Amino acid sequence: MFDREALSLPAVEVAPLLLGSLLSVDSPEGRVVLRISEVEAYHGAQDPGSHAFRGRTARNAVMFGEAGHLYTYFTYGMHTCANVVCATEGTASGCLLRAGEIVEGVEVARSRRASSRVDADLARGPGRLCVALGITLADGGADLASSRVRLELARQPSPYETSARTGVSGAGGTDDFPWRFLIPGDPTVSPYKRHVPKRRNTSLG
DNA sequence: TGGGCGATTGTCT
DNA sequence: GACAATCGCCCAA
């Protein structure tokens, strides 16, 4: 079921509800359904890891809007990442979808993710997840209750673990924000990687 | 108006 | 284990 009221809680409280939930995406190639196994919470202007840390901009406006919508963004010049918008309007809160298991439409996902040797890698990582599901920037702002991207919350909460967020630079990636939620032992959970400072001009020195 | 950098991934060693 | 690829956003001036 889709429950906008449940999604209107802060991202930290919504994240556990998303684990084990189903995200389905319809396209001409067919439907792909993902069972979510890993998410990260980003909440409020006080969260140094959030895109909304420096306030509202045209790019992150969707995160300030109504819960239950999709916030997509483009990063590293090539990757799309998807978030479920949480909390009430005016509060920037969202859960980044990091990984999951394809439970329907595996053939379609495989055709989009030709480089994946095993099915567990099809949606292991936020960029891969979007490719496998066919989510693009054009899906940003979509209502997860009525668009081609739909969210079905798990009937029963999954057991979960928390840890520091992956790949987040600065204070937001420390243990002060253990806002990464995952289903322990799930083969589709992405490997933990602490943020690596950007290496540029490495020839110096 | 210009420059630096990012909620990453695939490939090569 | 290490690095290149690649482009839009955001800050500073």
Side-chain angles (χ1 to χ4, degrees), chain A residues 85-106:
Chain A
V85 176
C86 306
T88 52
E89 288 194 58
T91 300
S93 190
C95 290
L96 169 69
L97 304 177
R98 287 198 58 86
E101 173 193 8
I102 306 291
V103 294
E104 186 183 325
V106 177

Side-chain angles (χ1 to χ4, degrees), chain A residues 2-205:
Chain A
F2 180 85
D3 185 347
R4 198 181 306 277
E5 200 165 316
L7 295 175
S8 298
L9 296 167
V12 181
E13 295 180 46
V14 175
L17 307 178
L18 293 178
L19 294 176
S21 295
L22 299 179
L23 189 73
S24 67
V25 182
D26 289 316
S27 76
E29 305 151 84
R31 165 180 284 201
V32 177
V33 180
L34 179 89
R35 186 182 130 276
I36 301 167
S37 66
E38 180 184 352
V39 301
E40 279 178 8
Y42 292 84
H43 183 78
Q46 71 277 15
D47 177 357
S50 173
H51 284 174
F53 183 50
R54 299 178 200 283
R56 182 177 187 146
T57 66
R59 172 226 215 172
N60 61 30
V62 173
M63 264 212 294
F64 286 81
E66 185 184 43
H69 288 249
L70 194 68
Y71 167 54
T72 56
Y73 66 90
F74 190 69
T75 190
Y76 287 95
M78 63 192 87
H79 297 300
T80 303
C81 298
N83 300 242
V84 174
V85 176
C86 306
T88 52
E89 288 194 58
T91 300
S93 190
C95 290
L96 169 69
L97 304 177
R98 287 198 58 86
E101 173 193 8
I102 306 291
V103 294
E104 186 183 325
V106 177
E107 293 300 326
V108 176
R110 282 187 190 137
S111 69
R112 291 174 178 152
R113 296 261 315 121
S115 61
S116 282
R117 305 279 174 135
V118 295
D119 288 350
D121 281 347
L122 288 174
R124 188 189 221 199
R128 296 167 172 175
L129 184 151
C130 286
V131 173
L133 290 178
I135 292 176
T136 69
L137 289 179
D139 294 304
D143 189 337
L144 295 174
S146 59
S147 69
R148 78 185 192 100
V149 186
R150 309 274 185 123
L151 177 67
E152 173 141 353
L153 290 174
R155 293 191 185 85
Q156 298 180 356
S158 298
Y160 67 91
E161 286 180 1
T162 65
S163 75
R165 290 179 296 197
T166 299
V168 178
S169 62
T174 67
D175 293 337
D176 291 341
F177 294 87
W179 290 354
R180 175 182 182 231
F181 295 75
L182 56 95
I183 298 178
D186 193 298
T188 62
V189 169
S190 64
Y192 175 74
K193 274 198 301 190
R194 192 165 284 274
H195 174 72
V196 183
K198 189 70 173 180
R199 295 170 297 275
R200 218 170 260 212
N201 297 328
T202 50
S203 59
L204 296 175

